[in-house]
Amino acid sequence: MYTQTTILRNIATTLTLSVYFLYASAFTTSGNKIYDSNGNAVLLRGFARPSLEWNPVGESLSVADYTLMKNKGANAVRISLNQCFWLAGHAGYSSTYAATVAQQVSWIKSLGMAVILDLHWSDQGNMQLSSCGQQNMADANSVTFWTQVATIYKNDPMIIFELYNEPHDVSWNTWLNGGSDSGYTTVGMQTL
C-alpha cells in the first residue's frame, strides 16, 4: 500500500465539493463544467494511482488502498493505463490486463468514487515495441485502444476518459490533428 506521503504527492486534481457528489449517478458537461445527475456543478478531487502503466498486474492494488484515498477526501481516482498491455497482438500484451483494470474500476466505484481512465503509456504506433513508455503524443494504436476501452465503459456514467497523458513537445496543430513527430506518426485529439 502506498504511504500517505506518496498518495498526497499523487494528487490528480483539486476541488471544493459537497458530499452530495459521492452519491451522484451520472455526469454531464456543459462548456467547461461537469454536473451531477441533479444539475449541481461538480469539481473533482482525487488521487492518481500509478503502476498499471509499467506493470500489467499493478503494484499493491487493493480496495484498502482506494478506501484510504476516499477517507482522505477523494471523490475520483485516476488510473494510468498502458495500451501495450491492453492490445492483443502487441509484443507487450497481457491477457489479464483488461480484467485487472476492470477490478480497479469495480473497487473504486463500489466506494462511490468516479474513475478516470488515463492513457499514460503508448508505443509510437509499433505493435512490436516491447518497451512502451510515455510518448510525446498518441498514435494509431491509441485509437484502437480507446475504441476497445470505450466499447466496455462508454455507458458507465462514473467513468471519465483522459485521452492522453501530458502531450508535450508538439505543435498546437499536431496536438489537434496529428502529424509527424519524433520519428512516428501521431494522431491528434480530434481523432481520439
Side-chain angles (χ1 to χ4, degrees), residues 33-55:
K33 300 210 182 305
I34 301 172
Y35 296 92
D36 70 13
S37 58
N38 296 317
N40 299 306
V42 173
L43 295 173
L44 298 176
R45 177 176 64 192
F47 295 94
R49 183 50 174 97
S51 77
L52 283 172
E53 70 271 37
W54 65 74
N55 184 332

Side-chain angles (χ1 to χ4, degrees), residues 156-173:
D156 190 328
M158 294 303 286
I159 302 289
I160 298 167
F161 298 146
E162 182 178 340
L163 298 179
Y164 201 73
N165 177 63
E166 301 173 11
H168 60 91
D169 299 324
V170 296
S171 69
W172 171 253
N173 187 58

Side-chain angles (χ1 to χ4, degrees), residues 5-85:
T5 301
T6 301
I7 290 172
L8 292 175
R9 187 178 65 229
N10 288 321
I11 292 176
T13 55
T14 59
L15 96 119
T16 52
L17 176 69
S18 301
V19 172
Y20 66 77
F21 166 72
L22 299 176
Y23 305 102
S25 62
F27 296 123
T28 59
T29 60
S30 179
N32 64 356
K33 300 210 182 305
I34 301 172
Y35 296 92
D36 70 13
S37 58
N38 296 317
N40 299 306
V42 173
L43 295 173
L44 298 176
R45 177 176 64 192
F47 295 94
R49 183 50 174 97
S51 77
L52 283 172
E53 70 271 37
W54 65 74
N55 184 332
V57 297
E59 296 176 6
S60 303
L61 300 171
S62 69
V63 72
D65 194 30
Y66 301 120
T67 301
L68 178 61
M69 293 175 192
K70 181 178 173 117
N71 291 342
K72 294 291 182 183
N75 64 354
V77 177
R78 178 181 184 241
I79 301 294
S80 301
L81 302 178
N82 182 332
Q83 72 188 31
C84 306
F85 297 149

Side-chain angles (χ1 to χ4, degrees), residues 107-121:
W107 283 337
I108 294 165
K109 286 178 47 186
S110 75
L111 296 167
M113 296 188 290
V115 180
I116 302 168
L117 296 177
D118 157 49
L119 177 52
H120 210 81
W121 282 17

Side-chain angles (χ1 to χ4, degrees), residues 68-140:
L68 178 61
M69 293 175 192
K70 181 178 173 117
N71 291 342
K72 294 291 182 183
N75 64 354
V77 177
R78 178 181 184 241
I79 301 294
S80 301
L81 302 178
N82 182 332
Q83 72 188 31
C84 306
F85 297 149
W86 184 278
L87 296 173
H90 197 286
Y93 175 69
S94 169
S95 62
T96 60
Y97 190 68
T100 300
V101 171
Q103 180 63 74
Q104 306 321 297
V105 168
S106 177
W107 283 337
I108 294 165
K109 286 178 47 186
S110 75
L111 296 167
M113 296 188 290
V115 180
I116 302 168
L117 296 177
D118 157 49
L119 177 52
H120 210 81
W121 282 17
S122 59
D123 60 18
Q124 299 182 356
N126 181 354
M127 295 283 282
Q128 302 312 310
L129 190 65
S130 60
S131 177
C132 296
Q134 188 171 344
Q135 310 299 334
N136 294 11
M137 191 61 197
D139 56 67

